[in-house]
Amino acid sequence: MNTIYRKGPLPRYYQLKEIMREKISNRDWLPGQLIPSERELSEQYGMSRMTARQAITELVNEGLFYREQGKGTFVSRHKITQQLLHLTGFTEDIRARGQRPSTRVLSMSMSPADEKTADYLRIKPGQLVFTLQRLRLADDEPLAIEVSHLNFIGCEKLLEEDLEQHSLYQLLETKYGMLLLEAEQELEAGLISSKEAEKLKVPIGSPALYTRRTAYIERNQPIEYARSIYCGHKYVFYTSLKREQLLS
Ligand code: 16G
């Protein structure tokens, strides 16, 4: 997609956003690169400067671009955006940013679920669940440590998978027939501890974002409970909020 459709149902600013998003994921525009000005974009795509500005501003708000006063707008380097609207996995998020995801498996086992995990997965404490601890990187830079607990019939087969080469969500969906439906996620601010700092290659006490996610395959059937620690200064969680119209 590289043209703006005038008659279609999609607003022009939205189409421009999608075009720019694609330029990032195709690596036409690289992290740190200056993007064309509002004027250039509006001339190139035949729209008003205001419309071009709206598209840029939204991508700034989503963390894909950043502005430098007097210099222009640039493609973000480090801030990885996870949209809180769609259920996506790490691999998808990083690829959508035009970066290369990679993984180091820190540990993998069938382990008894503790009370909290059991509660989230709606099983009895002590039941064996597949437990996976991974370091997640983008362009070889460590971003997060994730501990996922998975429970489904046959989950022990995951022990034989190469989870450094394969995305967990992709495997679940394509090989195990586990189609993810929805997830609940909590975010909490914190600080990186000494153990984490070493793995994430940041100073002890750096800002951290703790997340907890429960992913479901059916409304009442959780399959994954994951706790993650993201480097706070490298990650943005984005959500768009709509105000409900009050009925009078
Ligand atoms: C995300 C999820 C994590 C999931 C992983 C799958 C959060 C907070 N966590 O990182 O629960 O296991 O994606 O990624 O978003 P993968 O498909 O690349 O293995």
Side-chain angles (χ1 to χ4, degrees):
M1 176 167 130
N2 225 335
T3 354
I4 300 284
Y5 296 97
R6 277 149 213 295
K7 296 234 168 79
L10 295 175
R12 288 181 202 175
Y13 82 89
Y14 183 86
Q15 295 186 49
L16 179 59
K17 262 177 80 178
E18 292 308 300
I19 290 174
M20 295 196 290
R21 231 192 261 284
E22 222 167 275
K23 288 197 183 293
I24 297 174
S25 55
N26 293 342
R27 297 184 76 84
D28 283 348
W29 291 356
L30 296 171
Q33 188 176 323
L34 175 70
I35 68 154
S37 66
E38 280 168 18
R39 188 177 49 75
E40 286 165 326
L41 287 169
S42 63
E43 279 168 12
Q44 187 178 350
Y45 293 102
M47 56 179 60
S48 71
R49 278 180 70 159
M50 266 222 341
T51 308
R53 182 176 315 146
Q54 185 179 359
I56 297 173
T57 304
E58 292 207 2
L59 291 182
V60 169
N61 293 341
E62 290 180 30
L64 260 66
F65 293 155
Y66 64 95
R67 286 196 173 106
E68 272 193 24
Q69 209 158 16
K71 290 192 183 154
T73 307
F74 299 81
V75 179
S76 301
R77 265 179 212 285
H78 294 306
K79 293 253 175 181
I80 310 296
T81 304
Q82 185 186 109
Q83 295 231 10
L84 292 175
L85 311 168
H86 306 292
L87 174 51
T88 49
F90 184 86
T91 305
E92 289 167 273
D93 288 342
I94 301 305
R95 287 208 179 120
R97 280 280 295 115
Q99 290 189 286
R100 191 178 57 81
S102 59
T103 302
R104 250 183 48 218
V105 172
L106 303 174
S107 67
M108 182 156 91
S109 61
M110 289 300 290
S111 314
D114 61 23
E115 293 253 350
K116 227 188 190 144
T117 307
D119 200 28
Y120 279 101
L121 288 176
R122 304 189 192 171
I123 55 175
K124 291 212 172 79
Q127 185 184 317
L128 292 185
V129 291
F130 176 75
T131 301
L132 171 68
Q133 191 184 19
R134 294 181 289 178
L135 178 70
R136 315 299 312 256
L137 307 93
D139 285 346
D140 299 322
E141 192 184 341
L143 273 190
I145 300 169
E146 299 187 330
V147 185
S148 297
H149 303 276
L150 286 114
N151 175 52
F152 60 90
I153 295 170
C155 62
E156 66 284 352
K157 292 207 192 79
L158 285 169
L159 287 172
E160 291 154 29
E161 301 291 354
D162 182 349
L163 285 156
E164 300 212 334
Q165 296 305 323
H166 295 117
S167 138
L168 176 64
Y169 280 3
Q170 204 184 1
L171 273 179
L172 287 177
E173 300 196 326
T174 55
K175 191 163 167 186
Y176 291 80
M178 298 284 150
L179 300 182
L180 298 169
L181 174 75
E182 57 189 11
E184 285 160 359
Q185 192 161 303
E186 297 169 350
L187 305 178
E188 200 177 325
L191 298 175
I192 302 276
S193 73
S194 61
K195 235 166 73 196
E196 299 151 0
E198 210 182 297
K199 294 193 182 91
L200 292 169
K201 299 209 169 67
V202 291
I204 298 171
S206 306
L209 262 174
Y210 288 92
T211 70
R212 291 177 285 276
R213 172 183 284 195
T214 318
Y216 296 79
I217 46 171
E218 272 168 42
R219 196 128 291 161
N220 287 313
Q221 207 177 324
I223 176 179
E224 180 195 33
Y225 171 61
R227 279 178 296 113
S228 313
I229 302 143
Y230 286 83
C231 292
H233 60 297
K234 296 182 192 165
Y235 223 88
V236 170
F237 285 88
Y238 166 82
T239 186
S240 119
L241 307 172
K242 294 212 175 16
R243 186 157 171 85
E244 269 182 36
Q245 295 298 318
L246 294 177
L247 295 173
S248 53

